[in-house]
Amino acid sequence: MRIAVLAKQVPDTSSGRRFEGSRLVRGEDDVLNEFDENAVEAAAELVAAHGGEVLAVSMGPEDASDALVRCLALGADSAYLLSDPLLENADVTVTARALAALISLLAEEEAIDLVLCGMAASDAMTSMLPAALAAVMNVPLVSQVRELTVDPDSGHVQALRSVDGVDETLRAPLPAVVSVTDQLNEPR
C-alpha cells in the first residue's frame, strides 16, 4: 500500500507577525500543520499493518522542507517538496492542481492507493484542499474522519465521521482522498 500524505508548513501560532510594506510576514518559526501530524500517524499505522510506504508531499517555499523533515521523524518513508516561485500565493484550485500533478508523477513509479491529509490547515482553516484535490484527481473524498480502516484486498476504505452530531460510516473505493481529524489518533 502506497500512501501519500499532504503536509503543509504553517506559522507557529505562538510566533509573531508583522507587515513589511504591504506584505504580511508570518512568523519565522514555521512548523508542520498540527492536523497533518494525525494524517502522517494514520499512514504510518496503515503501512505497519498492511505493508507499503508513506510519501510525505508538500508545496511551498524551500524552507517548507522543515515540515517534511518532521514528517520523516513521524514515520514517513520519503518526502517530496514542490517549490516554485510561480506557485507563491496560489489559491486552493492551483494548489490542488499542482499537488495532483506531483502525486500523479509519483504514481508513475507505483500506484498511490490513498491520499491522507489533515482536516484543515491551521493558518487559514478553510478545509477546502481535500475536496479540491479529490475533484482534480477524480477520486472519492471522505472528510472529517475520526476512525479509519483500509482493506487492501477489497480495495476499499471505511471511515467513521461525525457531522453536526450525527455519526456516519462511509465506504469508498481506493484510490481516495481522506481528510482526518485530530480525534483519529495521537501522533508519536
Side-chain angles (χ1 to χ4, degrees):
M1 169 171 270
R2 244 171 139 222
I3 304 171
V5 179
L6 301 188
K8 184 174 184 185
Q9 184 158 301
V10 297
D12 186 339
T13 55
S14 64
S15 68
R17 296 181 176 117
R18 67 183 187 286
F19 281 97
E20 287 182 2
S22 63
R23 184 180 176 129
L24 175 65
V25 177
R26 303 184 301 182
E28 275 82 32
D29 299 325
D30 293 342
V31 297
L32 174 62
N33 180 48
E34 193 173 336
F35 296 116
D36 295 342
E37 291 185 4
N38 298 99
V40 175
E41 180 65 27
E45 290 173 1
L46 288 168
V47 164
H50 302 291
E53 66 178 320
V54 177
L55 297 80
V57 176
S58 187
M59 183 180 104
E62 288 182 22
D63 69 348
S65 60
D66 294 344
L68 292 172
V69 169
R70 175 77 175 133
C71 290
L72 293 168
L74 290 170
D77 298 296
S78 57
Y80 301 87
L81 175 61
L82 178 57
S83 185
D84 188 316
L86 294 174
L87 295 171
E88 187 176 338
N89 299 317
D91 65 12
V92 69
T93 303
V94 171
T95 300
R97 287 182 180 151
L99 288 171
L102 176 55
I103 291 167
S104 177
L105 184 65
L106 294 172
E108 289 178 6
E109 299 169 15
E110 184 181 342
I112 302 288
D113 301 295
L114 183 61
V115 177
L116 291 177
C117 50
M119 66 181 206
S122 62
D123 59 350
M125 296 298 286
T126 65
S127 304
M128 293 170 45
L129 184 61
L133 182 65
V136 171
M137 293 178 66
N138 197 30
V139 298
L141 166 69
V142 183
S143 62
Q144 305 297 317
V145 172
R146 64 181 179 99
E147 289 182 25
L148 177 67
T149 57
V150 175
D151 183 354
D153 296 329
S154 73
H156 283 85
V157 60
Q158 183 168 311
L160 174 66
R161 69 182 194 165
S162 297
V163 179
D164 294 330
V166 176
D167 288 345
E168 297 178 317
T169 300
L170 304 172
R171 181 177 159 98
L174 297 173
V177 173
V178 174
S179 73
V180 301
T181 69
D182 56 355
Q183 297 172 345
L184 179 66
N185 56 37
E186 186 67 38
R188 45 189 97 175

